Structures are given as structure tokens and as C-alpha cells.
Amino acid sequence: MTVKVRRQKPRRRVFWALVAVLLADLLALSDTLAVMSVDLGSESMKVAIVKPGVPMEIVLNKESRRKTPVIVTLKENERFFGDSAASMAIKNPKATLRYFQHLLGKQADNPHVALYQARFPEHELTFDPQRQTVHFQISPQLQFSPEEVLGMVLNYSRSLAEDFAEQPIKDAVITVPVFFNQAERRAVLQAARMAGLKVLQLINDNTATALSYGVFRRKDINTTAQNIMFYDMGSGSTVCTIVTYQMVKTKEAGMQPQLQIRGVGFDRTLGGLEMELRLREHLAGLFNEQRKGQRAKDVRENPRAMAKLLREANRLKTVLSANADHMAQIEGLMDDVDFKAKVTRVEFEELCADLFERVPGPVQQALQSAEMSLDEIEQVILVGGATRVPKVQEVLLKAVGKEELGKNINADEAAAMGAVYQAAALSKAFKVKPFVVRDAVVYPILVEFTREVEEEPGVHSLKHNKRVLFSRMGPYPQRKVITFNRYSHDFNFHINYGDLGFLGPEDLRVFGSQNLTTVKLKGVGDSFKKYPDYESKGIKAHFNLDESGVLSLDRVESVFETLVEDSPEEESTLTKLGNTISSLFGGGTTPDAKENGTDTVQEEEESPAEGSKDEPGEQVELKEEAEAPVEDGSQPLPPEPKGDAAPEGEKATEKENGDKSEAQASVFRASVTRFGFR
């Protein structure tokens, strides 16, 4: 007995050791389940988390506030963020950076760079010759790009979330303005990588707001379409969005609520900041007037004094939203001289009269892009801090012709809550009720190429072709395949933005170059030499517009096909071979396509290649011969999804004589330059 007991003791120890290891692994796993969202506004950010036992909660910062100023103060050996940095703005305005998101993805000659310099002359911007962008020159030894500064802010937001959740967090959904183009979106992703964050998705802030509204009103959504307009005026910009809510039938979960972005309008510079800058200029003029006889310097030349005036202008704008007048006062504004002046709401509205005239603009843009009228809009809901200005509400109410404006949503936190719901839905650690989100492309994208054609015997000329990949207000995420079937040698094609006629002249200048990239294909001729006895099925380029609205060229391949005799004993093998290889280049359903919920649809050569006609996530083959219109004004998709089309791989095997086709795909190198940063 003694021997047996002694033999059992080590076994028990091993058993409990294994149990301890398993428990430690489970605890370690549970410590990494939390996900976060960052609603990155121009003036402030809101952070939210989801963790086991804590569904969708706004993170409190170190000052126990629900929103944190997006401000960074950079010194030689110190960094300050949020409220601490805001207090440093008065003492060290040159080293305190804010509103730097306006410079993301912008080249040095962009009008917004000059506008930023005019608004904040205390900052020294230097030119980066390699990236053609700008840097903040803090000191001779310190310089940072806008992406690096944003990376610091995102890293700080993660530290706030981790302190609040009491566990490490890496997965995040980040909001971006709907009008961000490819360069701006890639700049945000680059900043997130610097912060060590795994971005589950960049979600448009208007889409996040619409999702939050729908999630909390799930019971009110039925099979009848409801059109809601969200008017969001924040600190830096204004966005108007038309959203359709409706119950739709899905393959996976039956009837589920869906939101579809139907129309979008925006004004990049209309917001609370511009109103505060007008007030700051007015207060500076009053202070100079008071000291006119003292031969004092212009207060505008003193960065510290101007920082004080901007802070007072921010407070004054808020107070005048609820009062007819208020006394602006600053102790020791400049040279130990106090400042005190009365400002009325009427004066404020006169200073911003031209800004208020721009309030209806985004509404008209949204209606035009959705091809809808105001009669079809059931409700107009206010979002964003600047919509609290009474004059904004007055002008907007007149523009939309409604009895009242909806205020039944948290104007500050809706986007953060919608984004964190999406984060939980994308995370493998949580299971949430499905809510179908159909976002829309704001800037159309097309492929342009030139090829030689023979119009008459012996007479050759160059023909310029345009094929729309993703049309305006078409759904995404979505995959597309374009086939070039008249090339047997190396060639180039351009990926450009499509028709941007809906933008004004100034917006076009801010937008920058309409060329996304030039793709140089090498190895086309070699692939034809490798398979001289095979029939070419063209050069296929596979594009993906992902959930973040970021375009990528997945691969380019040349495809060849040949007929082989059909023998009974080899029939199943060849059929399997043909279907398998076919799936590699867009025929049939690949495992990746299944994972992303994508199907393959083949267009006939005569049909127009319009991106808006396709379901989200579908993979469409655009033939070179297709007469694709450059402009696309088609209606958005109906809520009910279409049935599946027959895969190309199946069509390829239907031969009159019963022969089977064997396909070979030769993948070659695509040289891509400047993708997404022009």
C-alpha cells in the first residue's frame, strides 16, 4: 500500500499541474477577449470597449470624462495627451499639435496644407521630399509626420481602453470621415500599425452612427423601407447621410435588419472650428482696438495669446448657443493686460453668416446622390456638437421642410457605440445579433488602358478604354475581375478615380490627383511563349475593395485553355482538374470567396460593366470588349439579394462534342507604383 500511495502522489501532482496550466491558458485567453472602437473626431475622440460581462461601454479617461481632446504636446523627453496637452497649449503652442488629421494623406501643395498653416501659424511645417508630404518641425531634432502623431494618439487611446478594461487590447474598429479617399484611409491604417493596433475595420463615421441608431431600434425595423437622414456637423466638417432601414432575408440567418447607405453629401471645412476661428479673429480685433493708443503689438503675432483666444472662443460659442449674449474675459491675455468684452449671439451669427448659408449644401448633395426627394425622408436626425448652434438648426429646419428635427440620439457617442458593436461582430470572441450593413462607394474607381486597333486593313490607331470597377454609391465590400483579352505582350494600365463631377472646384483641388496608380505588367509575352498550343482566355486582374473601403490589386494572371480527348476512365479526374484550376482565376467559388461571402458572376460582353448592379462582395468579370459607360447613374440595389449565377467554371465545361477543357493559369509579376498615395 505504501508503495502504491507513493506512486500515486506524483500522478496527482502531474494532474493538478496540468489543470493549473489549462486554467492559466484559459485565463490568458480571457484576458485578450476585449475589443475597442475609436471614434476619431477632429476635436475630440470617444473610445468604447466590449469585454466579457461588459457590453458596449464608453471608456472614461484619466479625468473621468467620456471624451478626450485629440491634442498632443511633444517635448524633448515628454509627451502629453488629452486634457494635459490642452492645458499645455497655452504655455507651449508650437509643440502642441491639434487638428492634424486634416493633413493626413495630403501632399505639400494641397490647399488644406496652406489652410492649416493659415489657421495655426505657430506650427512650422517642413517638406518631406521622399513622400511629397509635410512634417511638423517641433525643434531641430524633433520632427513628426501627421501619421506618426496620429499613431501616438491611437496608442494613447489603447492605453485608456486597457486601463478601463483591465486587460490588454489589440483589436479595434476606427471611424474615419466618409469623404476620406484612398490615401487618407491608408494613412490612418499606417498610424494604427505604428500604434500596434490590429484594425478589424475602418468604418465610416456616418455608417457607425446609422448602425448605432438601428441596433437600439431593432424592434422598429420591419419589411417596409424607412428612410432616415442624419445631419452630422462636427468640429471640422459636415456630413449628411440618407439611410434606408428594412428587414431583409439573408441566406445565413433568415430575416434580419439591414441598413443601406443611399446618399451622402459633405462639406470638408464647415464645422464648429471655423466658427471658433471667426470668433477668435473678432476677439483679437476687439483687444487690439482697446489697446490702440498704447502702441502695442498686434495680438495676432503672439501665439500664446492666440491660443488663449481660441480657447475662449470655444467656450463663447457654447455659451451663446443657450444665451443671447455673454462676456468674454481672459486674465493676462498679453503683456499682463486683461481682456474683457461683451459678445452677442447676433454678432456671432453675423460673423458666420456665410457659413450658415452652406448648411443646406450637404442635404442637396445627399438627395441628389440617392436620387430621392425630401418627401421620401421620414425623419432628419441631428448628430455632432456643432448642430447645437441655434442658427444651424434654424437654417437646416427650413432647408428640409420638416416640422421638427430629431434629437433622439446621443450626438456625441453614437459613432463610437456603432463602431464598437461592429468590433464585437467582427471579433471571434463575441456573438452579436446580426445587423446587415451595406455601405456605399463615394468616389468611383475605374481602369483605363490604351490598345492598338486596326480600323481598316493596314491602318492602326490607338484606342483609349475606360472600365468602371466600382461605381458611385455602389455597395462594398466587393471583388471585381477585369479581363484584358487582346494583349499578348507586356503592357500597362492605370487605376484612376472615376467621374468626380459632383465635387466643386475647390473640393477637387483638395482631393488631389485622380490617378491612384499605374500597374506595369511584365511576363505577359513569356506566358504566351510557355503555352503556344493553348487558347488564351485573357489576362485577368483581381481587385478587392475591402470592408475598410481600401482598394487592393490581389493578383494578375494569364489564363490558357486547351481541349483534350474525353476518356471514360479519366473523365472525373479531368473534370475535377478543370474546375479546380478554373477556380483559381475567377471561375467557381474559391475558399476565400466563401469566407467573404462572395459569388462569381460572368457578364456578357455586350452588357455594361456597372459596379452598382452587383451585390456586395460579388466577384464580377468585366470583359475588355464590354461597352462600359464612364459615368454610372444607376439606382442603388434593392434590399433583396439576387440569386446565384452559374459559375464560369461550369460554363467552360459545356462542350457540344463532350470534350473537357483543361485550363492553366500563369501568374506573373505586377509592378505597382504609388498605390493609394496620390
Side-chain angles (χ1 to χ4, degrees):
M1 288 292 284
T2 306
V3 174
K4 289 182 180 179
V5 171
R6 288 178 178 175
R7 287 177 180 175
Q8 287 176 357
K9 279 185 177 180
R11 291 178 182 176
R12 288 181 179 178
R13 289 172 182 170
V14 171
F15 171 77
W16 289 114
L18 289 173
V19 171
V21 170
L22 289 172
L23 288 175
D25 290 342
L26 289 173
L27 289 173
L29 181 63
S30 64
D31 285 344
T32 59
L33 291 180
V35 293
M36 64 181 287
S37 71
V38 184
D39 177 25
L40 199 62
S42 295
E43 184 179 54
S44 60
M45 66 178 177
K46 277 74 64 179
V47 181
I49 65 163
V50 170
K51 73 173 186 176
V54 181
M56 296 176 62
E57 185 170 354
I58 294 292
V59 170
L60 302 181
N61 61 18
K62 296 178 181 179
E63 289 77 20
S64 297
R65 296 179 182 175
R66 297 173 71 86
K67 65 179 181 179
T68 304
V70 182
I71 304 178
V72 184
T73 299
L74 301 171
K75 291 187 174 182
E76 293 295 335
N77 300 315
E78 291 180 293
R79 295 178 184 176
F80 299 90
F81 299 92
D83 292 293
S84 300
S87 62
M88 296 288 294
I90 307 300
K91 300 177 182 178
N92 196 348
K94 181 180 179 180
T96 302
L97 309 178
R98 47 187 164 181
Y99 300 104
F100 48 82
Q101 304 97 306
H102 298 176
L103 300 178
L104 292 173
K106 304 288 193 308
Q107 293 194 343
D109 58 352
N110 193 289
H112 266 204
V113 175
L115 178 63
Y116 187 92
Q117 192 74 77
R119 286 174 167 179
F120 306 103
E122 64 271 18
H123 296 314
E124 181 181 352
L125 298 179
T126 58
F127 177 67
D128 181 353
Q130 183 177 359
R131 300 177 67 240
Q132 304 294 311
T133 56
V134 294
H135 276 138
F136 289 102
Q137 189 75 39
I138 309 300
S139 68
Q141 293 76 30
L142 285 180
Q143 63 175 14
F144 299 97
S145 67
E147 291 81 6
E148 289 174 318
V149 180
L150 179 58
M152 299 176 196
V153 171
L154 290 176
N155 188 55
Y156 177 69
S157 72
R158 184 177 69 169
S159 68
L160 293 178
E162 290 179 338
D163 291 344
F164 192 79
E166 299 179 336
Q167 61 180 270
I169 300 177
K170 289 186 177 180
D171 296 346
V173 169
I174 303 174
T175 69
V176 294
V178 65
F179 50 76
F180 264 21
N181 58 24
Q182 293 293 309
E184 291 165 310
R185 291 174 188 271
R186 288 177 178 272
V188 175
L189 290 175
Q190 182 184 10
R193 283 193 294 269
M194 294 178 185
L197 282 174
K198 177 185 176 183
V199 179
L200 300 175
Q201 180 182 346
L202 294 181
I203 187 171
N204 294 331
D205 47 16
N206 61 335
T207 304
T209 300
L211 178 58
S212 176
Y213 181 86
V215 164
F216 289 104
R217 290 162 182 80
R218 181 184 292 263
K219 295 181 180 179
D220 299 332
I221 301 175
N222 51 47
T223 55
T224 303
Q226 305 174 41
N227 300 320
I228 306 294
M229 177 181 286
F230 295 92
Y231 192 88
D232 182 359
M233 182 182 288
S235 177
S237 60
T238 299
V239 175
C240 181
T241 311
I242 298 174
V243 184
T244 298
Y245 294 94
Q246 190 174 16
M247 295 292 294
V248 299
K249 187 176 181 180
T250 63
K251 296 178 183 178
E252 297 82 8
M255 297 296 292
Q256 296 296 337
Q258 171 188 273
L259 72 85
Q260 179 181 359
I261 305 297
R262 298 290 300 276
V264 175
F266 56 86
D267 190 324
R268 277 180 175 260
T269 57
L270 177 62
L273 172 61
E274 186 60 33
M275 299 177 192
E276 294 165 17
L277 293 172
R278 301 285 179 92
L279 273 174
R280 182 182 72 169
E281 184 66 21
H282 177 66
L283 296 177
L286 292 177
F287 183 72
N288 286 339
E289 187 68 24
Q290 292 176 8
R291 303 188 65 201
K292 191 174 182 179
Q294 303 177 22
R295 295 183 179 179
K297 294 190 299 183
D298 189 344
V299 69
R300 298 180 184 87
E301 299 176 2
N302 190 312
R304 290 188 178 184
M306 292 301 285
K308 292 179 182 179
L309 286 174
L310 184 60
R311 184 176 63 180
E312 182 65 11
N314 181 289
R315 188 183 71 87
L316 196 60
K317 182 197 70 176
T318 304
V319 174
L320 289 178
S321 296
N323 298 274
D325 56 64
H326 188 67
M327 190 67 69
Q329 47 187 353
I330 304 174
E331 293 185 5
L333 176 58
M334 189 174 72
D335 299 334
D336 295 327
V337 177
D338 298 339
F339 170 63
K340 191 174 183 180
K342 183 179 180 180
V343 181
T344 67
R345 183 189 292 179
V346 174
E347 290 176 323
F348 169 62
E349 292 177 353
E350 289 176 353
L351 290 171
C352 303
D354 61 318
L355 300 181
F356 297 133
E357 291 177 358
R358 290 159 56 184
V359 167
V363 175
Q364 299 303 321
Q365 292 178 27
L367 290 170
Q368 185 176 6
S369 62
E371 297 184 354
M372 299 173 67
S373 65
L374 283 169
D375 296 336
E376 300 175 73
I377 306 299
E378 297 184 13
Q379 193 177 11
V380 179
I381 298 176
L382 296 177
V383 187
T387 56
R388 296 186 177 97
V389 175
K391 190 65 175 179
V392 171
Q393 297 184 19
E394 177 187 332
V395 176
L396 179 61
L397 190 62
K398 184 179 180 181
V400 298
K402 303 293 182 183
E403 294 183 1
E404 61 179 358
L405 299 172
K407 301 176 183 178
N408 52 344
I409 192 173
N410 189 322
D412 292 322
E413 300 177 0
M417 296 300 282
V420 81
Y421 187 90
Q422 185 73 353
L426 294 173
S427 172
K428 297 178 180 179
F430 301 95
K431 186 176 181 180
V432 301
K433 292 183 178 180
F435 203 110
V436 183
V437 178
R438 292 167 58 94
D439 216 325
V441 176
V442 175
Y443 305 120
I445 297 174
L446 52 81
V447 169
E448 297 189 39
F449 55 96
T450 302
R451 61 179 174 83
E452 189 177 83
V453 296
E454 187 175 0
E455 298 179 350
E456 298 178 6
V459 179
H460 296 268
S461 62
L462 295 179
K463 180 182 179 182
H464 189 70
N465 299 272
K466 295 183 180 181
R467 300 290 177 265
V468 176
L469 279 178
F470 305 99
S471 58
R472 176 163 162 77
M473 302 316 298
Y476 76 87
Q478 191 168 181
R479 296 176 183 272
K480 291 290 183 71
V481 179
I482 185 168
T483 302
F484 305 93
N485 52 16
R486 293 194 178 182
Y487 286 97
S488 58
H489 56 275
D490 296 355
F491 66 99
N492 303 340
F493 64 86
H494 307 280
I495 306 174
N496 299 331
Y497 289 105
D499 182 16
L500 301 179
F502 58 93
L503 297 178
E506 185 61 29
D507 287 331
L508 279 174
R509 292 182 61 218
V510 172
F511 190 88
S513 172
Q514 294 188 31
N515 172 246
L516 276 168
T517 189
T518 297
V519 180
K520 301 178 180 180
L521 298 181
K522 297 180 180 180
V524 179
D526 294 339
S527 67
F528 277 82
K529 294 177 182 178
K530 187 175 181 180
Y531 301 101
D533 299 329
Y534 284 53
E535 178 187 357
S536 171
K537 302 307 263 184
I539 315 299
K540 296 179 182 289
H542 298 252
F543 296 89
N544 179 29
L545 191 64
D546 64 15
E547 293 83 356
S548 298
V550 176
L551 177 68
S552 61
L553 175 59
D554 289 345
R555 66 189 187 277
V556 183
E557 58 194 7
S558 58
V559 182
F560 300 88
E561 191 175 83
T562 187
L563 296 179
V564 296
E565 290 186 4
D566 186 11
S567 57
E569 62 274 11
E570 297 179 359
E571 180 177 357
S572 59
T573 304
L574 288 176
T575 302
K576 183 178 179 181
L577 176 64
N579 289 337
T580 302
I581 299 181
S582 172
S583 68
L584 296 177
F585 52 81
T589 306
T590 65
D592 181 62
K594 290 180 180 178
E595 183 179 348
N596 292 283
T598 62
D599 296 321
T600 302
V601 179
Q602 177 171 336
E603 288 196 4
E604 296 298 330
E605 295 185 359
E606 300 82 28
S607 61
E610 297 180 353
S612 62
K613 297 295 184 184
D614 309 314
E615 288 297 317
E618 286 183 340
Q619 192 169 348
V620 178
E621 182 169 355
L622 309 181
K623 292 293 184 181
E624 180 184 337
E625 290 86 351
E627 294 301 325
V630 178
E631 301 179 0
D632 177 45
S634 58
Q635 288 282 357
L637 284 171
E640 288 294 333
K642 299 178 182 177
D644 295 341
E648 180 187 352
E650 295 178 8
K651 292 184 178 181
T653 61
E654 297 173 0
K655 302 293 181 179
E656 293 182 2
N657 57 4
D659 290 343
K660 302 297 178 181
S661 61
E662 180 181 349
Q664 295 286 342
S666 175
V667 181
F668 50 84
R669 181 164 57 93
S671 175
V672 182
T673 59
R674 305 188 306 277
F675 195 84
F677 286 94
R678 289 297 296 262

